Amino acid sequence: GAGVSQSPSNKVTEKGKDVELRCDPISGHTALYWYRQSLGQGLEFLIYFQGNSAPDKSGLPSDRFSAERTGGSVSTLTIQRTQQEDSAVYLCASSLAPPTQYFGPGTRLTVL
Amino acid sequence: GQQVMQIPQYQHVQEGEDFTTYCNSSTTLSNIQWYKQRPGGHPVFLIQLVKSGEVKKQKRLTFQFGEAKKNSSLHITATQTTDVGTYFCAGPSGSSNTGKLIFGQGTTLQVKP
């Protein structure tokens, strides 16, 4: 594709519900990253996939957060039992080779 | 842990004035990258600096990497309203070039026409 795409663009959910956020990286990019950006804040690293290697999950804030990447392409970030503090924009980025990252438009998550 | 800090957090300038944002890392970096995020948009890669003391220019933007490879700056000459946005610096996490980046908190630039 032309760029990284993410869906949905906006998600409003109730506290306690589970949500799934999807990222389609640029075709052929081996690395995929998830970040969280709270209002007016910087980018908080969540998780990183590189090829077939075990993902770097060091940024996941709690065990309610998980992510997987199927077939080395599409990735899904899952947040279980959402809390209000999970409200943020979730950004996905991909890269062919470090370090330049190409970001998607993000998913704005609002937990009521 | 490793930290990347940026100052100032916010800057308001009159159109035509110059602007500089500074980035400081708690550790020596193999490279540093700069990204720009327009209001409501997503970060877009601007440039990467690799060499100690490196200076690169993109039109009115000048990027510099410090001699010790622990700090960097972005200078915009004669700002325009199109320069509005948040500028982030980012450096590799740890010593390996895995692609995992640590981002600064960003400097948000407002330009008054």
XYZ file of all heavy atoms in Angstrom, chain A residues 35-45 89 91 101 103, chain B residues 4-10 19-24 29 31-49 58 61 63-64 72-76 83-92 101-109:
620
model
N 2.738 2.681 19.393
C 2.966 3.738 20.357
C 1.615 4.231 20.866
O 0.582 4.079 20.224
C 3.693 4.936 19.711
C 5.076 4.665 19.216
C 5.298 4.200 17.924
C 6.185 4.887 20.031
C 6.582 3.960 17.461
C 7.474 4.656 19.573
C 7.656 4.191 18.285
O 8.930 3.956 17.829
N 1.670 4.871 22.011
C 0.487 5.525 22.564
C 0.826 6.999 22.771
O 1.911 7.332 23.270
C 0.095 4.877 23.890
C -1.110 5.498 24.549
C -1.615 4.633 25.695
N -0.728 4.608 26.825
C -1.035 3.977 27.971
N -2.196 3.344 28.083
N -0.178 3.979 28.973
N -0.107 7.857 22.396
C 0.097 9.293 22.564
C -1.128 9.872 23.261
O -2.212 9.937 22.689
C 0.322 9.979 21.213
C 0.702 11.441 21.343
C 1.086 12.065 20.004
O 0.543 11.722 18.965
N 2.027 12.995 20.043
N -0.914 10.279 24.499
C -1.989 10.930 25.232
C -2.037 12.386 24.823
O -1.063 12.929 24.285
C -1.771 10.788 26.731
O -1.745 9.419 27.091
N -3.158 13.054 25.111
C -3.384 14.417 24.641
C -2.226 15.325 25.024
O -1.888 15.458 26.195
C -4.692 14.946 25.231
C -5.147 16.309 24.708
C -5.413 16.239 23.211
C -6.381 16.791 25.451
N -1.614 15.942 24.027
C -0.547 16.893 24.265
C 0.749 16.288 24.756
O 1.645 17.024 25.179
N 0.862 14.980 24.687
C 2.057 14.304 25.194
C 2.900 13.729 24.060
O 2.501 13.749 22.894
C 1.663 13.177 26.157
C 0.877 13.645 27.362
C 1.665 14.587 28.219
O 2.803 14.297 28.604
N 1.097 15.740 28.530
N 4.054 13.213 24.425
C 4.917 12.573 23.453
C 4.464 11.161 23.154
O 3.373 10.742 23.524
N 5.321 10.433 22.463
C 5.000 9.074 22.053
C 5.559 8.083 23.073
O 6.752 8.081 23.356
C 5.595 8.783 20.681
C 4.842 9.362 19.491
C 5.092 10.847 19.347
C 5.213 8.629 18.225
N 4.671 7.244 23.560
C 5.060 6.219 24.522
C 5.161 4.893 23.798
O 4.168 4.389 23.265
C 4.016 6.148 25.636
C 4.247 5.050 26.652
C 3.075 4.893 27.608
O 2.048 5.601 27.426
O 3.165 4.056 28.529
N 6.338 4.305 23.760
C 6.552 3.024 23.093
C 5.767 1.929 23.810
O 5.761 1.839 25.034
C 8.040 2.688 23.103
C 8.352 1.261 22.715
C 8.376 0.884 21.392
C 8.604 0.301 23.694
C 8.662 -0.419 21.035
C 8.894 -1.008 23.350
C 8.919 -1.365 22.016
N -4.444 8.350 21.646
C -4.293 7.979 20.236
C -3.247 6.878 20.166
O -2.145 7.022 20.722
C -3.860 9.176 19.380
C -3.592 8.730 17.939
C -4.932 10.259 19.399
N -0.816 4.865 17.872
C -0.133 5.000 16.594
C 0.652 3.746 16.272
O 1.302 3.170 17.135
C 0.826 6.193 16.635
C 0.188 7.582 16.685
C 1.186 8.603 17.192
C -0.324 7.977 15.313
N 11.029 5.416 10.664
C 9.712 4.826 10.870
C 8.645 5.645 10.155
O 8.695 6.876 10.160
C 9.400 4.745 12.371
C 10.373 3.852 13.112
C 10.056 3.708 14.580
O 8.940 3.985 15.019
N 11.026 3.253 15.355
N 4.684 6.404 10.075
C 3.550 6.295 10.973
C 2.227 6.245 10.222
O 2.061 6.875 9.174
C 3.524 7.480 11.941
C 4.537 7.378 13.040
C 5.854 7.747 12.841
C 4.168 6.893 14.290
C 6.793 7.651 13.849
C 5.092 6.799 15.313
C 6.406 7.175 15.089
N 15.191 10.948 26.759
C 15.424 11.974 25.752
C 14.532 13.147 26.116
O 13.318 12.984 26.248
C 15.110 11.466 24.336
C 15.251 12.600 23.325
C 16.022 10.306 23.967
N 15.141 14.304 26.311
C 14.404 15.465 26.772
C 14.489 16.585 25.756
O 15.528 16.772 25.110
C 14.959 15.922 28.113
C 14.756 14.877 29.208
S 16.050 14.936 30.466
C 17.421 14.216 29.581
N 13.392 17.320 25.631
C 13.350 18.429 24.694
C 12.927 19.695 25.410
O 12.048 19.660 26.279
C 12.353 18.160 23.566
C 12.862 17.252 22.479
C 11.863 17.117 21.357
O 11.175 16.102 21.259
N 11.785 18.124 20.503
N 13.511 20.794 25.000
C 13.080 22.104 25.463
C 13.103 23.088 24.310
O 13.909 22.929 23.373
C 13.973 22.642 26.609
C 15.453 22.672 26.181
C 13.769 21.843 27.882
C 16.336 23.397 27.177
N 12.193 24.076 24.322
C 11.098 24.231 25.273
C 9.950 23.286 24.943
O 9.962 22.636 23.910
C 10.704 25.687 25.063
C 10.947 25.922 23.601
C 12.198 25.129 23.287
N 8.970 23.227 25.802
C 7.810 22.402 25.532
C 6.891 23.096 24.528
O 6.286 22.452 23.688
C 7.053 22.112 26.827
C 5.899 21.127 26.664
C 5.246 20.768 27.991
O 5.597 21.301 29.039
N 4.285 19.851 27.945
N 6.795 24.418 24.666
C 5.970 25.220 23.761
C 6.754 26.465 23.337
O 7.586 26.974 24.091
C 4.669 25.678 24.442
C 3.757 24.571 24.871
C 3.761 24.138 26.191
C 2.892 23.957 23.973
C 2.918 23.116 26.605
C 2.053 22.929 24.382
C 2.073 22.513 25.697
O 1.243 21.501 26.094
N 13.207 30.093 15.157
C 12.783 29.146 16.203
C 13.834 28.065 16.353
O 14.409 27.589 15.359
C 11.442 28.529 15.805
C 11.120 27.220 16.488
C 10.680 27.198 17.800
C 11.251 26.004 15.812
C 10.382 25.991 18.425
C 10.962 24.810 16.430
C 10.516 24.790 17.738
N 14.104 27.688 17.602
C 15.038 26.587 17.854
C 14.483 25.681 18.939
O 13.970 26.163 19.951
C 16.416 27.113 18.306
O 16.927 28.016 17.325
C 17.400 25.951 18.465
N 14.592 24.396 18.748
C 14.264 23.411 19.765
C 15.489 22.553 20.036
O 16.261 22.240 19.115
C 13.056 22.529 19.360
O 12.891 21.492 20.339
C 13.240 21.892 17.996
N 15.672 22.208 21.292
C 16.865 21.493 21.727
C 16.488 20.119 22.273
O 15.484 19.965 22.963
C 17.595 22.286 22.806
C 18.041 23.644 22.349
C 17.220 24.756 22.523
C 19.278 23.817 21.742
C 17.617 26.006 22.089
C 19.685 25.068 21.319
C 18.854 26.161 21.491
O 19.253 27.390 21.061
N 17.335 19.162 21.987
C 17.101 17.776 22.374
C 18.333 17.259 23.109
O 19.463 17.419 22.610
C 16.848 16.951 21.111
S 16.602 15.194 21.366
N 18.125 16.670 24.278
C 19.244 16.143 25.060
C 18.967 14.719 25.484
O 17.891 14.409 26.000
C 19.472 17.006 26.301
C 19.984 18.383 25.944
O 21.138 18.540 25.574
N 19.130 19.371 26.035
N 24.161 8.587 21.640
C 23.293 7.999 20.616
C 24.084 7.658 19.364
O 24.973 8.396 18.953
C 22.176 8.991 20.267
C 21.263 9.431 21.411
C 20.359 10.572 20.955
C 20.442 8.268 21.924
N 22.578 7.555 16.518
C 21.979 8.468 15.557
C 20.822 9.184 16.246
O 20.382 8.787 17.331
C 21.483 7.737 14.305
C 20.318 6.812 14.598
O 19.167 7.254 14.693
N 20.595 5.514 14.755
N 20.339 10.234 15.623
C 19.168 10.919 16.140
C 18.268 11.260 14.964
O 18.749 11.554 13.858
C 19.536 12.164 16.965
C 18.326 12.625 17.777
C 20.064 13.280 16.069
C 18.689 13.452 18.986
N 16.976 11.158 15.198
C 16.005 11.460 14.157
C 15.094 12.579 14.631
O 14.892 12.773 15.828
C 15.152 10.231 13.852
C 15.934 9.019 13.407
C 15.042 7.823 13.233
O 13.958 7.907 12.652
N 15.473 6.684 13.725
N 14.556 13.287 13.660
C 13.576 14.325 13.937
C 12.296 14.031 13.155
O 12.353 13.633 11.981
C 14.117 15.707 13.547
C 15.142 16.218 14.505
C 16.500 16.046 14.459
C 14.898 17.023 15.670
N 17.104 16.671 15.521
C 16.148 17.290 16.281
C 13.747 17.548 16.263
C 16.284 18.053 17.438
C 13.881 18.306 17.407
C 15.126 18.560 17.983
N 11.168 14.237 13.837
C 9.861 14.044 13.251
C 9.028 15.296 13.476
O 9.216 16.009 14.469
C 9.129 12.851 13.894
C 9.734 11.500 13.576
C 10.888 11.064 14.217
C 9.144 10.660 12.638
C 11.438 9.824 13.923
C 9.678 9.410 12.344
C 10.827 9.007 12.990
O 11.373 7.771 12.699
N 8.071 15.525 12.562
C 7.143 16.647 12.719
C 5.716 16.097 12.725
O 5.382 15.239 11.893
C 7.289 17.644 11.568
C 6.292 18.803 11.648
C 6.412 19.737 10.460
C 5.373 20.858 10.542
N 5.461 21.780 9.382
N 4.929 16.596 13.653
C 3.531 16.191 13.733
C 2.670 17.446 13.634
O 2.680 18.289 14.528
C 3.249 15.445 15.039
C 1.842 14.887 15.161
C 1.664 14.043 16.414
O 2.368 14.211 17.406
N 0.717 13.109 16.386
N 1.926 17.537 12.544
C 1.005 18.656 12.395
C -0.191 18.452 13.315
O -0.514 17.303 13.673
C 0.529 18.774 10.951
C 1.628 19.126 9.966
C 1.081 19.273 8.552
N 2.120 19.488 7.574
C 2.646 20.678 7.287
N 2.182 21.744 7.888
N 3.588 20.780 6.375
N -0.881 19.527 13.702
C -2.070 19.372 14.555
C -3.065 18.395 13.947
O -3.448 18.521 12.786
C -2.632 20.799 14.616
C -1.441 21.674 14.404
C -0.570 20.940 13.425
N -3.451 17.396 14.733
C -4.396 16.395 14.252
C -3.788 15.341 13.357
O -4.493 14.445 12.889
N -2.496 15.427 13.117
C -1.847 14.486 12.213
C -0.977 13.490 12.940
O -1.015 13.376 14.169
N -0.184 12.762 12.183
C 0.712 11.779 12.755
C 2.154 12.204 12.496
O 2.425 13.008 11.602
C 0.444 10.398 12.154
C 0.571 10.354 10.662
N -0.455 10.709 9.822
C 1.613 10.013 9.864
C -0.055 10.566 8.574
N 1.191 10.158 8.567
N 3.091 11.676 13.284
C 4.497 12.061 13.086
C 4.999 11.682 11.701
O 4.728 10.591 11.204
C 5.219 11.272 14.183
C 4.176 10.985 15.207
C 2.913 10.787 14.432
N 5.757 12.586 11.113
C 6.351 12.369 9.805
C 7.851 12.557 9.924
O 8.315 13.559 10.471
C 5.767 13.336 8.756
C 6.498 13.193 7.425
C 4.278 13.104 8.575
N 8.591 11.592 9.415
C 10.050 11.633 9.485
C 10.598 12.843 8.727
O 10.186 13.119 7.592
C 10.608 10.340 8.895
C 12.107 10.301 8.757
C 12.904 10.051 9.863
C 12.715 10.519 7.536
C 14.284 10.004 9.734
C 14.092 10.479 7.405
C 14.879 10.217 8.510
N 11.509 13.555 9.356
C 12.164 14.685 8.697
C 13.583 14.333 8.267
O 13.960 14.536 7.106
C 12.212 15.899 9.642
C 10.883 16.556 10.003
C 11.126 17.701 10.984
C 10.158 17.056 8.766
N 14.380 13.842 9.237
C 15.797 13.650 8.938
C 16.443 12.752 9.977
O 15.916 12.595 11.077
C 16.513 15.020 8.899
C 17.756 14.987 8.031
C 16.840 15.511 10.313
C 18.236 16.379 7.634
N 17.575 12.177 9.603
C 18.406 11.430 10.541
C 19.815 11.979 10.500
O 20.351 12.245 9.422
C 18.439 9.944 10.171
C 19.288 9.122 11.118
C 19.544 7.708 10.626
O 19.361 6.770 11.372
N 19.960 7.563 9.383
N 20.414 12.141 11.680
C 21.802 12.556 11.803
C 22.585 11.414 12.427
O 22.106 10.774 13.369
C 21.916 13.816 12.670
C 21.084 15.019 12.222
C 21.127 16.108 13.274
C 21.597 15.548 10.890
N 17.561 21.540 5.435
C 16.428 21.307 4.543
C 15.727 22.653 4.400
O 14.957 23.047 5.268
C 15.450 20.275 5.123
C 15.959 18.862 5.171
C 14.929 17.902 5.757
O 13.906 18.309 6.316
N 15.191 16.611 5.649
N 15.195 24.782 7.444
C 15.443 23.992 8.644
C 16.909 23.563 8.693
O 17.438 23.053 7.705
C 14.555 22.749 8.647
C 13.116 22.880 9.142
C 12.294 23.850 8.293
C 12.444 21.528 9.198
N 19.480 21.211 11.047
C 19.573 20.195 12.094
C 21.053 20.017 12.458
O 21.911 19.963 11.588
C 19.012 18.857 11.593
C 17.595 18.920 11.112
C 17.318 19.324 9.807
C 16.544 18.583 11.950
C 16.012 19.383 9.350
C 15.238 18.623 11.489
C 14.968 19.030 10.193
N 21.301 19.873 13.749
C 22.678 19.697 14.202
C 22.752 18.575 15.220
O 21.873 18.436 16.084
C 23.179 21.008 14.824
C 24.641 21.002 15.169
C 25.156 22.399 15.478
O 24.378 23.345 15.579
N 26.452 22.542 15.597
N 21.097 17.486 20.267
C 20.788 17.868 18.899
C 19.899 19.097 18.936
O 19.297 19.421 19.968
C 20.071 16.724 18.175
O 19.769 17.072 16.833
N 19.856 19.798 17.828
C 18.977 20.957 17.744
C 18.360 21.049 16.354
O 18.920 20.547 15.375
C 19.734 22.248 18.065
O 20.745 22.489 17.105
N 17.226 21.696 16.334
C 16.527 21.998 15.084
C 16.261 23.494 15.080
O 15.647 24.022 16.024
C 15.210 21.223 14.996
C 14.130 21.758 14.043
C 14.638 21.846 12.620
C 12.881 20.906 14.133
N 16.739 24.168 14.064
C 16.566 25.611 13.955
C 15.777 25.908 12.694
O 16.108 25.406 11.624
C 17.939 26.300 13.905
C 17.845 27.792 13.782
N 17.635 28.617 14.849
C 17.922 28.604 12.691
C 17.593 29.877 14.432
N 17.777 29.896 13.134
N 14.739 26.707 12.841
C 13.947 27.134 11.679
C 14.162 28.632 11.496
O 13.930 29.427 12.427
C 12.448 26.830 11.843
C 12.225 25.334 12.092
C 11.690 27.280 10.589
C 10.765 24.957 12.316
N 4.878 26.006 9.336
C 5.802 25.328 10.261
C 5.110 24.898 11.547
O 5.711 24.194 12.364
C 6.974 26.250 10.614
C 7.825 26.590 9.410
O 7.984 25.721 8.528
O 8.332 27.737 9.352
N 3.865 25.313 11.725
C 3.137 24.967 12.948
C 3.072 23.453 13.134
O 2.832 22.705 12.199
C 1.716 25.558 12.897
C 0.819 24.920 13.945
C 1.754 27.054 13.058
N 3.303 23.037 14.365
C 3.234 21.613 14.672
C 4.107 21.294 15.862
O 4.656 22.185 16.504
N 4.223 20.005 16.154
C 5.081 19.545 17.228
C 6.268 18.811 16.629
O 6.100 17.927 15.788
C 4.316 18.624 18.190
O 3.217 19.342 18.752
C 5.223 18.145 19.320
N 7.441 19.190 17.073
C 8.681 18.610 16.565
C 9.257 17.676 17.627
O 9.481 18.076 18.770
C 9.683 19.708 16.222
C 9.215 20.553 15.058
C 8.355 21.639 15.249
C 9.598 20.253 13.750
C 7.906 22.397 14.174
C 9.156 21.009 12.674
C 8.305 22.073 12.904
O 7.854 22.821 11.837
N 9.476 16.444 17.238
C 10.006 15.420 18.133
C 11.405 15.002 17.687
O 11.642 14.791 16.502
C 9.135 14.156 18.117
C 7.758 14.320 18.674
C 6.676 14.539 17.837
C 7.535 14.226 20.035
C 5.394 14.674 18.340
C 6.250 14.361 20.553
C 5.184 14.583 19.703
N 12.294 14.842 18.655
C 13.531 14.145 18.369
C 13.400 12.727 18.933
O 12.600 12.481 19.829
C 14.735 14.851 18.977
S 14.718 14.951 20.782
N 14.180 11.813 18.395
C 14.123 10.422 18.848
C 15.476 9.775 18.639
O 16.139 9.992 17.620
C 13.050 9.649 18.092
N 15.855 8.954 19.609
C 17.104 8.231 19.501
C 16.908 6.754 19.764
O 15.924 6.366 20.410
N 17.804 5.921 19.257
C 17.666 4.479 19.466
C 17.705 4.129 20.949
O 18.460 4.727 21.724
C 18.883 3.894 18.742
C 19.360 4.969 17.847
C 19.005 6.255 18.500
N 12.817 3.211 19.222
C 13.191 4.594 19.471
C 12.634 5.103 20.789
O 11.536 4.718 21.205
C 12.674 5.494 18.345
C 13.239 5.264 16.946
C 12.526 6.171 15.953
C 14.734 5.513 16.921
N 13.405 5.979 21.407
C 12.932 6.741 22.558
C 12.679 8.161 22.063
O 13.616 8.819 21.568
C 13.961 6.755 23.689
C 14.306 5.329 24.125
C 13.420 7.561 24.866
C 13.174 4.562 24.736
N 11.443 8.627 22.187
C 11.073 9.946 21.711
C 11.146 10.970 22.839
O 10.817 10.678 23.996
C 9.647 9.938 21.158
C 9.528 9.387 19.767
C 9.500 8.020 19.555
C 9.442 10.235 18.672
C 9.395 7.499 18.271
C 9.342 9.721 17.384
C 9.324 8.350 17.188
N 11.559 12.180 22.478
C 11.414 13.294 23.385
C 9.946 13.672 23.495
O 9.101 13.177 22.740
N 9.649 14.554 24.432
C 8.264 14.964 24.658
C 7.757 15.917 23.585
O 6.567 16.178 23.508
C 8.117 15.599 26.034
C 8.222 14.595 27.169
C 7.176 13.493 27.075
O 7.445 12.399 26.591
N 5.971 13.789 27.496
N 8.656 16.441 22.782
C 8.249 17.309 21.692
C 8.232 18.780 22.065
O 8.077 19.148 23.233
N 8.425 19.613 21.056
C 8.265 21.056 21.186
C 7.158 21.476 20.232
O 7.253 21.218 19.026
C 9.553 21.812 20.835
O 10.580 21.483 21.768
C 9.306 23.320 20.856
N 6.130 22.097 20.803
C 5.002 22.547 19.979
C 5.220 23.991 19.575
O 5.386 24.863 20.430
C 3.685 22.399 20.751
O 3.480 21.010 21.058
C 2.516 22.890 19.913
N 5.230 24.212 18.284
C 5.464 25.540 17.721
C 4.157 26.144 17.237
O 3.430 25.530 16.454
C 6.455 25.455 16.560
C 6.672 26.737 15.746
C 7.301 27.830 16.612
C 7.530 26.468 14.516
